Amino acid sequence: NAGVTQTPKFRVLKTGQSMTLLCAQDMNHEYMYWYRQDPGMGLRLIHYSVGEGTTAKGEVPDGYNVSRLKKQNFLLGLESAAPSQTSVYFCASRGYEGTQYFGPGTRLLVL
Amino acid sequence: AQKVTQAQTEISVVEKEDVTLDCVYETRDTTYYLFWYKQPPSGELVFLIRRNSFDEQNEISGRYSWNFQKSTSSFNFTITASQVVDSAVYFCALRSSGNTGKLIFGQGTTLQVKP
Protein backbone atom coordinates (compact mmCIF):
# COMPACT_ATOMS: atom_id res chain seq x y z
CA ASN A 1 0.00 0.00 0.00
CA ALA A 2 1.99 2.94 -1.30
CA GLY A 3 -0.63 5.65 -0.64
CA VAL A 4 0.02 8.57 -2.98
CA THR A 5 3.06 8.58 -5.23
CA GLN A 6 4.38 11.28 -7.53
CA THR A 7 6.84 11.21 -10.39
CA PRO A 8 9.26 12.74 -10.99
CA LYS A 9 10.68 13.94 -7.68
CA PHE A 10 12.69 16.73 -9.23
CA ARG A 11 12.87 18.32 -12.66
CA VAL A 12 14.59 21.24 -14.33
CA LEU A 13 12.94 22.78 -17.38
CA LYS A 14 13.81 25.59 -19.70
CA THR A 15 11.25 28.30 -20.34
CA GLY A 16 8.80 27.12 -22.98
CA GLN A 17 9.32 23.42 -22.46
CA SER A 18 6.44 21.15 -21.53
CA MET A 19 6.14 18.33 -19.04
CA THR A 20 3.67 16.11 -17.25
CA LEU A 21 3.62 15.30 -13.56
CA LEU A 22 2.09 11.99 -12.64
CA CYS A 23 0.18 11.27 -9.45
CA ALA A 24 -1.04 7.81 -8.51
CA GLN A 25 -3.05 6.63 -5.50
CA ASP A 26 -3.96 3.13 -4.42
CA MET A 27 -6.63 4.00 -1.86
CA ASN A 28 -9.56 3.98 -4.31
CA HIS A 29 -10.34 7.63 -3.52
CA GLU A 30 -12.67 9.56 -5.77
CA TYR A 31 -11.31 13.05 -5.17
CA MET A 32 -7.81 14.09 -6.15
CA TYR A 33 -6.05 17.45 -6.03
CA TRP A 34 -3.00 19.27 -7.31
CA TYR A 35 -1.50 22.02 -5.15
CA ARG A 36 1.56 24.17 -5.48
CA GLN A 37 3.59 25.36 -2.54
CA ASP A 38 5.55 28.58 -2.68
CA PRO A 39 7.43 30.40 0.09
CA GLY A 40 5.13 32.74 1.97
CA MET A 41 2.10 31.64 -0.05
CA GLY A 42 1.21 28.38 1.61
CA LEU A 43 -0.46 25.73 -0.52
CA ARG A 44 -2.71 26.81 -3.34
CA LEU A 45 -5.08 24.61 -5.29
CA ILE A 46 -4.37 24.33 -9.02
CA HIS A 47 -6.92 21.79 -10.24
CA TYR A 48 -8.95 19.01 -8.75
CA SER A 49 -11.04 16.03 -9.78
CA VAL A 50 -14.15 14.57 -8.18
CA GLY A 51 -13.90 11.31 -10.05
CA GLU A 52 -12.65 9.49 -13.11
CA GLY A 53 -13.15 11.55 -16.25
CA THR A 54 -13.81 14.82 -14.40
CA THR A 55 -11.60 17.82 -13.69
CA ALA A 56 -12.17 21.34 -12.41
CA LYS A 57 -10.20 24.52 -11.86
CA GLY A 58 -8.88 25.60 -8.52
CA GLU A 59 -7.46 28.93 -7.41
CA VAL A 60 -4.45 29.14 -9.73
CA PRO A 61 -5.20 27.07 -12.87
CA ASP A 62 -3.59 29.26 -15.52
CA GLY A 63 -0.77 27.60 -17.41
CA TYR A 64 -1.74 24.10 -16.28
CA ASN A 65 -3.93 21.33 -17.61
CA VAL A 66 -5.01 18.10 -15.98
CA SER A 67 -6.48 14.76 -16.91
CA ARG A 68 -8.09 11.94 -14.94
CA LEU A 69 -8.48 9.09 -17.40
CA LYS A 70 -8.18 6.46 -14.70
CA LYS A 71 -9.45 6.70 -11.14
CA GLN A 72 -6.05 6.04 -9.64
CA ASN A 73 -4.12 8.55 -11.75
CA PHE A 74 -4.21 12.34 -11.92
CA LEU A 75 -1.88 14.05 -14.37
CA LEU A 76 -0.78 17.67 -14.27
CA GLY A 77 0.59 19.17 -17.47
CA LEU A 78 2.56 22.31 -18.09
CA GLU A 79 2.17 23.28 -21.73
CA SER A 80 4.81 26.00 -21.90
CA ALA A 81 6.75 26.34 -18.68
CA ALA A 82 7.47 29.76 -17.24
CA PRO A 83 9.82 30.76 -14.40
CA SER A 84 6.74 31.68 -12.34
CA GLN A 85 5.90 27.98 -12.29
CA THR A 86 9.00 27.16 -10.30
CA SER A 87 7.49 25.59 -7.23
CA VAL A 88 6.93 22.41 -5.28
CA TYR A 89 3.90 20.51 -6.52
CA PHE A 90 1.86 18.25 -4.30
CA CYS A 91 -0.79 15.80 -5.29
CA ALA A 92 -3.38 14.62 -2.77
CA SER A 93 -6.30 12.25 -2.62
CA ARG A 94 -9.23 12.63 -0.30
CA GLY A 95 -10.41 10.06 2.15
CA TYR A 96 -12.69 9.84 5.16
CA GLU A 97 -14.25 13.12 6.33
CA GLY A 98 -12.20 15.05 3.84
CA THR A 99 -8.78 14.05 5.07
CA GLN A 100 -6.28 14.59 2.30
CA TYR A 101 -3.27 12.34 1.92
CA PHE A 102 -0.37 13.91 0.11
CA GLY A 103 2.30 12.57 -2.16
CA PRO A 104 5.98 13.31 -1.51
CA GLY A 105 5.99 16.32 -3.83
CA THR A 106 7.74 17.27 -7.07
CA ARG A 107 10.26 20.06 -7.04
CA LEU A 108 10.22 21.93 -10.35
CA LEU A 109 12.72 24.54 -11.43
CA VAL A 110 12.04 26.53 -14.59
CA LEU A 111 15.02 28.43 -15.95
CA ALA B 1 -15.09 33.87 3.43
CA GLN B 2 -13.08 31.02 4.86
CA LYS B 3 -9.67 31.61 6.25
CA VAL B 4 -7.03 30.05 8.46
CA THR B 5 -4.54 32.18 10.34
CA GLN B 6 -1.37 30.94 11.97
CA ALA B 7 0.02 34.09 13.47
CA GLN B 8 3.29 32.54 14.62
CA THR B 9 5.66 32.42 11.68
CA GLU B 10 8.58 30.88 13.53
CA ILE B 11 9.04 29.45 17.00
CA SER B 12 12.30 28.32 18.52
CA VAL B 13 12.44 26.25 21.70
CA VAL B 14 14.97 24.15 23.52
CA GLU B 15 14.45 20.42 23.71
CA LYS B 16 12.03 19.29 26.43
CA GLU B 17 10.16 22.57 26.46
CA ASP B 18 6.44 22.55 25.80
CA VAL B 19 5.26 24.56 22.81
CA THR B 20 1.84 25.59 21.53
CA LEU B 21 1.11 26.39 17.91
CA ASP B 22 -1.87 28.64 17.40
CA CYS B 23 -4.52 28.32 14.72
CA VAL B 24 -7.53 30.58 14.25
CA TYR B 25 -10.09 29.91 11.57
CA GLU B 26 -13.02 31.69 9.97
CA THR B 27 -16.01 30.01 8.45
CA ARG B 28 -19.75 30.51 8.28
CA ASP B 29 -20.41 26.82 7.94
CA THR B 30 -22.00 25.00 10.85
CA THR B 31 -20.34 21.77 9.81
CA TYR B 32 -16.66 21.82 9.05
CA TYR B 33 -13.43 19.93 9.56
CA LEU B 34 -10.07 21.09 10.79
CA PHE B 35 -6.70 19.45 10.27
CA TRP B 36 -3.08 19.67 11.28
CA TYR B 37 -0.26 18.60 8.98
CA LYS B 38 3.46 18.35 9.61
CA GLN B 39 6.06 19.10 6.96
CA PRO B 40 9.50 17.95 8.12
CA PRO B 41 12.69 19.11 6.39
CA SER B 42 12.37 16.19 3.97
CA GLY B 43 9.38 17.99 2.48
CA GLU B 44 6.46 15.59 2.61
CA LEU B 45 3.14 16.60 4.19
CA VAL B 46 2.12 14.28 6.97
CA PHE B 47 -1.44 14.18 8.28
CA LEU B 48 -1.58 14.50 12.07
CA ILE B 49 -5.19 14.97 13.10
CA ARG B 50 -8.69 15.72 11.91
CA ARG B 51 -11.38 17.31 14.06
CA ASN B 52 -15.00 17.88 13.07
CA SER B 53 -17.08 20.78 14.31
CA PHE B 54 -19.45 18.57 16.28
CA ASP B 55 -16.81 17.34 18.64
CA GLU B 56 -15.09 19.82 20.93
CA GLN B 57 -13.34 17.25 23.01
CA ASN B 58 -9.65 17.81 23.24
CA GLU B 59 -7.45 15.06 21.94
CA ILE B 60 -4.16 13.69 23.13
CA SER B 61 -1.82 11.43 21.22
CA GLY B 62 1.40 10.78 23.02
CA ARG B 63 3.22 14.09 23.35
CA TYR B 64 0.76 15.80 21.03
CA SER B 65 -2.49 17.40 22.13
CA TRP B 66 -5.06 19.55 20.42
CA ASN B 67 -7.41 22.11 21.92
CA PHE B 68 -10.48 22.88 19.84
CA GLN B 69 -12.62 25.81 20.97
CA LYS B 70 -15.52 26.87 18.79
CA SER B 71 -16.21 29.91 20.95
CA THR B 72 -12.89 31.44 19.93
CA SER B 73 -12.61 29.67 16.54
CA SER B 74 -9.31 28.19 17.53
CA PHE B 75 -7.67 24.82 17.07
CA ASN B 76 -4.35 24.96 18.86
CA PHE B 77 -1.68 22.28 18.88
CA THR B 78 0.61 21.60 21.81
CA ILE B 79 3.75 19.51 21.82
CA THR B 80 4.82 18.45 25.29
CA ALA B 81 8.48 17.83 26.03
CA SER B 82 9.55 18.78 22.52
CA GLN B 83 12.25 16.83 20.72
CA VAL B 84 14.61 17.73 17.90
CA VAL B 85 12.61 15.45 15.59
CA ASP B 86 9.62 17.75 16.07
CA SER B 87 11.40 20.44 14.07
CA ALA B 88 9.20 21.04 11.06
CA VAL B 89 6.67 23.36 9.51
CA TYR B 90 3.20 22.77 10.88
CA PHE B 91 0.10 23.66 8.91
CA CYS B 92 -3.43 24.08 10.15
CA ALA B 93 -6.13 23.61 7.52
CA LEU B 94 -9.88 23.96 7.14
CA ARG B 95 -11.94 21.87 4.78
CA SER B 96 -13.92 24.20 2.62
CA SER B 97 -17.65 23.93 2.17
CA GLY B 98 -19.10 22.91 -1.15
CA ASN B 99 -18.24 20.11 -3.48
CA THR B 100 -14.61 21.05 -3.91
CA GLY B 101 -13.59 19.77 -0.54
CA LYS B 102 -10.32 21.59 -0.90
CA LEU B 103 -8.24 22.39 2.12
CA ILE B 104 -7.63 26.00 3.05
CA PHE B 105 -4.22 26.15 4.65
CA GLY B 106 -2.73 28.60 7.06
CA GLN B 107 0.67 30.01 6.25
CA GLY B 108 2.38 27.51 8.50
CA THR B 109 4.49 27.80 11.63
CA THR B 110 8.13 26.80 11.50
CA LEU B 111 9.14 25.09 14.71
CA GLN B 112 12.80 24.72 15.53
CA VAL B 113 13.68 22.55 18.48
CA LYS B 114 17.26 23.00 19.58
CA PRO B 115 19.16 20.31 21.48
Short mmCIF file of all heavy atoms in Angstrom, two decimals, chain B residues 17-42:
data_model
loop_
_atom_site.label_atom_id
_atom_site.label_comp_id
_atom_site.label_asym_id
_atom_site.label_seq_id
_atom_site.Cartn_x
_atom_site.Cartn_y
_atom_site.Cartn_z
N GLU B 17 11.15 21.52 26.18
CA GLU B 17 10.16 22.57 26.46
C GLU B 17 8.83 22.19 25.83
O GLU B 17 8.77 21.47 24.83
CB GLU B 17 10.61 23.90 25.87
CG GLU B 17 11.68 24.62 26.64
CD GLU B 17 11.97 26.00 26.05
OE1 GLU B 17 11.10 26.55 25.36
OE2 GLU B 17 13.07 26.51 26.28
N ASP B 18 7.75 22.69 26.42
CA ASP B 18 6.44 22.55 25.80
C ASP B 18 6.23 23.72 24.85
O ASP B 18 6.72 24.83 25.10
CB ASP B 18 5.33 22.57 26.87
CG ASP B 18 5.45 21.41 27.85
OD1 ASP B 18 6.23 20.46 27.58
OD2 ASP B 18 4.77 21.46 28.89
N VAL B 19 5.50 23.48 23.77
CA VAL B 19 5.26 24.56 22.81
C VAL B 19 3.84 24.42 22.26
O VAL B 19 3.36 23.32 22.03
CB VAL B 19 6.31 24.52 21.68
CG1 VAL B 19 6.30 23.18 20.94
CG2 VAL B 19 6.12 25.68 20.71
N THR B 20 3.20 25.57 22.09
CA THR B 20 1.84 25.59 21.53
C THR B 20 1.82 26.37 20.23
O THR B 20 2.31 27.50 20.17
CB THR B 20 0.85 26.20 22.53
OG1 THR B 20 0.76 25.36 23.68
CG2 THR B 20 -0.54 26.31 21.90
N LEU B 21 1.26 25.75 19.22
CA LEU B 21 1.11 26.39 17.91
C LEU B 21 -0.34 26.83 17.77
O LEU B 21 -1.27 26.02 17.95
CB LEU B 21 1.47 25.39 16.80
CG LEU B 21 2.81 24.67 16.94
CD1 LEU B 21 3.05 23.77 15.75
CD2 LEU B 21 3.95 25.65 17.12
N ASP B 22 -0.53 28.09 17.45
CA ASP B 22 -1.87 28.64 17.40
C ASP B 22 -2.48 28.54 16.00
O ASP B 22 -1.79 28.67 14.99
CB ASP B 22 -1.86 30.12 17.82
CG ASP B 22 -1.39 30.30 19.26
OD1 ASP B 22 -1.58 29.38 20.07
OD2 ASP B 22 -0.85 31.38 19.56
N CYS B 23 -3.78 28.34 15.98
CA CYS B 23 -4.52 28.32 14.72
C CYS B 23 -5.89 28.94 14.96
O CYS B 23 -6.62 28.50 15.86
CB CYS B 23 -4.67 26.89 14.21
SG CYS B 23 -5.75 26.73 12.77
N VAL B 24 -6.22 29.94 14.18
CA VAL B 24 -7.53 30.58 14.25
C VAL B 24 -8.17 30.47 12.89
O VAL B 24 -7.52 30.69 11.87
CB VAL B 24 -7.40 32.06 14.66
CG1 VAL B 24 -8.76 32.76 14.59
CG2 VAL B 24 -6.82 32.18 16.07
N TYR B 25 -9.42 30.12 12.86
CA TYR B 25 -10.09 29.91 11.57
C TYR B 25 -11.35 30.76 11.47
O TYR B 25 -11.89 31.21 12.49
CB TYR B 25 -10.44 28.43 11.38
CG TYR B 25 -11.40 27.90 12.41
CD1 TYR B 25 -12.77 27.90 12.17
CD2 TYR B 25 -10.93 27.40 13.62
CE1 TYR B 25 -13.64 27.43 13.13
CE2 TYR B 25 -11.80 26.92 14.59
CZ TYR B 25 -13.16 26.94 14.34
OH TYR B 25 -14.03 26.48 15.28
N GLU B 26 -11.77 30.97 10.24
CA GLU B 26 -13.02 31.69 9.97
C GLU B 26 -13.84 30.87 9.00
O GLU B 26 -13.35 30.44 7.95
CB GLU B 26 -12.73 33.06 9.32
CG GLU B 26 -11.97 34.04 10.19
CD GLU B 26 -11.65 35.32 9.43
OE1 GLU B 26 -12.41 35.67 8.51
OE2 GLU B 26 -10.63 35.95 9.76
N THR B 27 -15.08 30.67 9.35
CA THR B 27 -16.01 30.01 8.45
C THR B 27 -17.43 30.31 8.89
O THR B 27 -17.67 30.52 10.08
CB THR B 27 -15.77 28.48 8.42
OG1 THR B 27 -16.71 27.88 7.51
CG2 THR B 27 -15.98 27.85 9.79
N ARG B 28 -18.34 30.31 7.95
CA ARG B 28 -19.75 30.51 8.28
C ARG B 28 -20.49 29.18 8.31
O ARG B 28 -21.68 29.13 8.64
CB ARG B 28 -20.41 31.44 7.26
CG ARG B 28 -19.90 32.86 7.34
CD ARG B 28 -20.60 33.77 6.36
NE ARG B 28 -20.09 35.14 6.45
CZ ARG B 28 -20.50 36.13 5.67
NH1 ARG B 28 -21.41 35.92 4.75
NH2 ARG B 28 -19.99 37.34 5.82
N ASP B 29 -19.78 28.13 7.94
CA ASP B 29 -20.41 26.82 7.94
C ASP B 29 -20.67 26.36 9.37
O ASP B 29 -19.92 26.66 10.29
CB ASP B 29 -19.49 25.79 7.26
CG ASP B 29 -19.32 26.09 5.78
OD1 ASP B 29 -20.16 26.81 5.22
OD2 ASP B 29 -18.35 25.59 5.20
N THR B 30 -21.73 25.59 9.53
CA THR B 30 -22.00 25.00 10.85
C THR B 30 -21.32 23.64 10.97
O THR B 30 -21.04 23.17 12.06
CB THR B 30 -23.51 24.84 11.08
OG1 THR B 30 -24.06 24.10 9.98
CG2 THR B 30 -24.18 26.20 11.16
N THR B 31 -21.06 23.04 9.84
CA THR B 31 -20.34 21.77 9.81
C THR B 31 -19.03 21.97 9.05
O THR B 31 -19.05 22.41 7.91
CB THR B 31 -21.16 20.68 9.10
OG1 THR B 31 -22.41 20.52 9.78
CG2 THR B 31 -20.41 19.36 9.10
N TYR B 32 -17.95 21.65 9.69
CA TYR B 32 -16.66 21.82 9.05
C TYR B 32 -15.65 20.90 9.71
O TYR B 32 -15.91 20.31 10.77
CB TYR B 32 -16.19 23.28 9.11
CG TYR B 32 -16.21 23.89 10.49
CD1 TYR B 32 -15.10 23.81 11.32
CD2 TYR B 32 -17.35 24.56 10.95
CE1 TYR B 32 -15.13 24.37 12.59
CE2 TYR B 32 -17.38 25.12 12.22
CZ TYR B 32 -16.28 25.03 13.02
OH TYR B 32 -16.31 25.59 14.29
N TYR B 33 -14.49 20.80 9.05
CA TYR B 33 -13.43 19.93 9.56
C TYR B 33 -12.12 20.72 9.60
O TYR B 33 -11.83 21.52 8.71
CB TYR B 33 -13.25 18.72 8.64
CG TYR B 33 -14.47 17.83 8.60
CD1 TYR B 33 -15.52 18.09 7.73
CD2 TYR B 33 -14.57 16.74 9.45
CE1 TYR B 33 -16.64 17.28 7.69
CE2 TYR B 33 -15.70 15.92 9.43
CZ TYR B 33 -16.72 16.21 8.55
OH TYR B 33 -17.84 15.41 8.53
N LEU B 34 -11.37 20.45 10.61
CA LEU B 34 -10.07 21.09 10.79
C LEU B 34 -8.98 20.03 10.83
O LEU B 34 -9.22 18.91 11.29
CB LEU B 34 -10.04 21.90 12.09
CG LEU B 34 -11.00 23.09 12.13
CD1 LEU B 34 -11.25 23.53 13.55
CD2 LEU B 34 -10.41 24.24 11.30
N PHE B 35 -7.81 20.40 10.38
CA PHE B 35 -6.70 19.45 10.27
C PHE B 35 -5.40 20.11 10.71
O PHE B 35 -5.25 21.33 10.62
CB PHE B 35 -6.53 18.99 8.81
CG PHE B 35 -7.76 18.41 8.19
CD1 PHE B 35 -8.73 19.23 7.65
CD2 PHE B 35 -7.93 17.04 8.13
CE1 PHE B 35 -9.88 18.70 7.07
CE2 PHE B 35 -9.07 16.49 7.55
CZ PHE B 35 -10.04 17.32 7.02
N TRP B 36 -4.47 19.26 11.12
CA TRP B 36 -3.08 19.67 11.28
C TRP B 36 -2.21 18.73 10.45
O TRP B 36 -2.42 17.51 10.46
CB TRP B 36 -2.64 19.61 12.74
CG TRP B 36 -2.99 20.85 13.52
CD1 TRP B 36 -4.09 21.05 14.31
CD2 TRP B 36 -2.22 22.05 13.61
NE1 TRP B 36 -4.06 22.30 14.87
CE2 TRP B 36 -2.93 22.94 14.45
CE3 TRP B 36 -1.01 22.47 13.05
CZ2 TRP B 36 -2.45 24.21 14.75
CZ3 TRP B 36 -0.54 23.73 13.36
CH2 TRP B 36 -1.26 24.60 14.20
N TYR B 37 -1.25 19.35 9.75
CA TYR B 37 -0.26 18.60 8.98
C TYR B 37 1.13 19.03 9.43
O TYR B 37 1.36 20.17 9.80
CB TYR B 37 -0.40 18.88 7.48
CG TYR B 37 -1.59 18.21 6.83
CD1 TYR B 37 -2.85 18.82 6.86
CD2 TYR B 37 -1.46 16.99 6.19
CE1 TYR B 37 -3.93 18.21 6.26
CE2 TYR B 37 -2.54 16.37 5.58
CZ TYR B 37 -3.78 16.99 5.62
OH TYR B 37 -4.86 16.39 5.02
N LYS B 38 2.05 18.09 9.31
CA LYS B 38 3.46 18.35 9.61
C LYS B 38 4.26 18.23 8.33
O LYS B 38 4.08 17.28 7.55
CB LYS B 38 3.95 17.33 10.64
CG LYS B 38 5.43 17.41 10.95
CD LYS B 38 5.84 16.32 11.95
CE LYS B 38 7.32 16.37 12.27
NZ LYS B 38 7.71 15.31 13.23
N GLN B 39 5.16 19.18 8.10
CA GLN B 39 6.06 19.10 6.96
C GLN B 39 7.49 19.14 7.48
O GLN B 39 8.05 20.21 7.72
CB GLN B 39 5.81 20.25 5.97
CG GLN B 39 6.60 20.09 4.68
CD GLN B 39 6.23 21.12 3.64
OE1 GLN B 39 6.01 22.29 3.94
NE2 GLN B 39 6.15 20.69 2.39
N PRO B 40 8.11 17.98 7.64
CA PRO B 40 9.50 17.95 8.12
C PRO B 40 10.44 18.45 7.03
O PRO B 40 10.02 18.69 5.89
CB PRO B 40 9.72 16.45 8.40
CG PRO B 40 8.72 15.74 7.56
CD PRO B 40 7.55 16.66 7.40
N PRO B 41 11.72 18.61 7.38
CA PRO B 41 12.69 19.11 6.39
C PRO B 41 12.75 18.28 5.11
O PRO B 41 13.13 18.80 4.06
CB PRO B 41 14.01 19.05 7.16
CG PRO B 41 13.60 19.22 8.59
CD PRO B 41 12.30 18.51 8.71
N SER B 42 12.36 17.03 5.16
CA SER B 42 12.37 16.19 3.97
C SER B 42 11.29 16.60 2.97
O SER B 42 11.35 16.21 1.80
CB SER B 42 12.20 14.72 4.35
OG SER B 42 11.08 14.57 5.21
#
